[in-house]
Amino acid sequence: ANEATEITFYSDAAIQSKKIKAGRYILYCIPEPDTWEFIFNTNVDTWGLQPDSTKNIARFTVPSGQSNYKVEFFTIMFEGIGKDATLVFAWENKEARLPIRFN
C-alpha cells in the first residue's frame, strides 16, 4: 500500500504542453476537493511516502469531478489508444483526467 506508484512511458509524451521523455517515473497524486495534483518524479527506487522533491520533473493540476461510477479503491487506468490517451484517476465517486499525447 505504501509502495510508490510507477509509470513507464515507452515513447516521449506531452502533458499540458510539457514534454516528458520516455522512461520510468514515480507518479504521485495529491487529491483536493476540486483539483488533483499529479507529480512525475525520477527517484524510482524510493518508498512511496518519502518523495524527493528535487527529483520532480513535472507537476500538473487538473480539475476533479463526479464520476459516472463508484470505485472502492484508488484506481488508475488509461482510456484511448494510439497517440492520444487519457490517464484516469478515480476514487470513490470522484475522478480526474490527465490527457497525454505520445510522439
Side-chain angles (χ1 to χ4, degrees), residues 14-87:
I15 303 172
Q16 295 180 353
S17 301
K18 292 183 184 177
K19 297 193 185 293
I20 308 288
K21 291 186 179 191
R24 194 170 132 220
Y25 301 98
I26 297 295
L27 178 60
Y28 293 100
C29 175
I30 303 170
E32 297 291 341
D34 297 320
T35 61
W36 289 10
E37 184 173 15
F38 301 101
I39 303 164
F40 287 78
N41 185 292
T42 60
N43 192 20
V44 295
D45 296 319
T46 186
W47 196 244
L49 299 177
Q50 298 176 3
D52 179 354
S53 62
T54 65
K55 305 228 177 177
N56 290 350
I57 61 155
R59 296 175 84 103
F60 306 100
T61 302
V62 297
S64 63
Q66 294 294 319
S67 175
N68 292 330
Y69 47 88
K70 188 170 183 171
V71 295
E72 185 174 345
F73 300 101
F74 182 68
T75 302
I76 303 170
M77 60 189 161
F78 274 101
E79 284 185 355
I81 56 174
K83 291 190 173 203
D84 292 304
T86 301
L87 197 50

